[in-house]
Amino acid sequence: QVAPLVEEKPLTAQVDPNPFVQQLLNDYEQYISKAIRKGQAPGAAVVIVRDSSIVFLKGFGLKQSGTTDSVDVNSVFRLGSVSKCFAAVLTGTLVRDQQMSWDDKVTRFVPEFQLKERENTDSLRIRHVLSHTIGLPYHAYTSMVEDGVPLDTLLIHLKDLDLIGLPGNVYSYQNVGYSLIEKVIQSATGKSYEESLTEKLFQPLHMRHASASYTGIMGNANVAQPHFHTRRGWRTT
C-alpha cells in the first residue's frame, strides 16, 4: 500500500550562507535570463540543489511563445532522455529490494526478446541495457519512435540488426534498446512501468506534478508547450 500524500507545501529556495556560492547563483541567473532574452529557448524552470538543500529555484520565460503565460517553478516539461536517469534509479530500488540484480539476464524477465545471435541474447544483462552497451548500432530505430511505431514492434525487430560489439563491450547510445528496461520492470513487479515509477519515486519524493503518461501531462494545466525553431523564432508544435 502507498501512504497517503501529505499536504503540499510550496517549493522555496534557501539562501546559502557561502558568499561564493551566492555569487555563482547570481551569475547563473543572469546567464539563464540572457539566454532566454536572446531566444535560445522560449522558457525554462531551473532548480539547483546543493547537498540536500534547494539553493536556487526560479521560472524564466514563457510556457508558450507569443503569449504572456510565464513559466513558474511548478510548470511541467517533457523530460525527454533525462527520463533514463529515472529508469536507472527505479531499477536500483528494485535491486535494493532484491527483486532483480544488475547481472540478471534480460531473458529472465523478457523471455521472448532476441538479438540476432542466440549467444548474444543469452549474455545480455540488465546492466548492459542501462549502460548503453547492448551492442546495437548507434540510435537503432530512434527515428521510428518519433513516427509512432509501437515499442513492442521495434523491440521485435532488434533481432534483425547486426551488432557492432558484444554485449558489455561497446558504448552505443540507445532509445529503443534502453526501453527494454520497461519490460523488465513490468515482469519483475507485476505492475506497469508508470505504476512502479509513481510508487517507488514520485510519491516518496513528493513529486506530485510528475507523471509518465500522455494522460498525466495533458491533465495538468501548468504545462510548457513543445516548440520548434524557425527563422521567425519559436513556434509551438
Side-chain angles (χ1 to χ4, degrees), residues 89-106 108-110 126 181 183-192 195-197 199-201:
V89 173
L90 175 58
T91 305
T93 68
L94 300 176
V95 170
R96 177 201 62 194
D97 295 342
Q98 299 183 331
Q99 292 183 263
M100 64 176 66
S101 118
W102 300 113
D103 288 314
D104 278 342
K105 292 183 178 181
V106 169
R108 174 190 168 189
F109 301 97
V110 193
I126 290 175
I181 197 61
K183 303 298 182 182
V184 170
I185 289 173
Q186 286 175 344
S187 177
T189 63
K191 301 176 182 179
S192 72
E195 287 173 327
S196 292
L197 194 62
E199 178 182 323
K200 295 285 189 179
L201 296 185

Side-chain angles (χ1 to χ4, degrees), residues 12-28:
T12 56
Q14 300 179 24
V15 176
D16 194 295
N18 186 325
F20 296 101
V21 171
Q22 199 56 54
Q23 183 60 53
L24 175 65
L25 297 177
N26 293 340
D27 292 345
Y28 193 73

Side-chain angles (χ1 to χ4, degrees), residues 63-65 78 224-230 234-237:
K63 289 186 284 186
Q64 181 173 348
S65 182
R78 277 186 65 188
Q225 298 298 311
H227 289 75
F228 67 99
H229 199 262
T230 72
W234 291 101
R235 292 183 59 185
T236 56
T237 180

Side-chain angles (χ1 to χ4, degrees), residues 124-212:
L124 185 64
R125 314 288 173 164
I126 290 175
R127 68 169 63 251
H128 300 150
V129 173
L130 295 174
S131 60
H132 298 284
T133 58
I134 297 173
L136 292 165
Y138 178 71
H139 265 301
Y141 295 141
T142 286
S143 61
M144 298 176 76
V145 174
E146 294 298 330
D147 291 338
V149 178
L151 175 60
D152 287 342
T153 301
L154 295 174
L155 290 175
I156 288 172
H157 285 287
L158 290 179
K159 69 178 185 297
D160 301 331
L161 300 175
D162 292 323
L163 298 189
I164 61 173
L166 299 177
N169 285 2
V170 178
Y171 174 86
S172 180
Y173 191 87
Q174 303 296 318
N175 284 314
V176 175
Y178 202 98
S179 296
L180 260 173
I181 197 61
E182 176 183 333
K183 303 298 182 182
V184 170
I185 289 173
Q186 286 175 344
S187 177
T189 63
K191 301 176 182 179
S192 72
Y193 179 77
E194 182 182 4
E195 287 173 327
S196 292
L197 194 62
T198 300
E199 178 182 323
K200 295 285 189 179
L201 296 185
F202 292 164
Q203 288 185 339
L205 295 172
H206 306 302
M207 299 175 66
R208 299 177 190 85
H209 304 296
S211 64

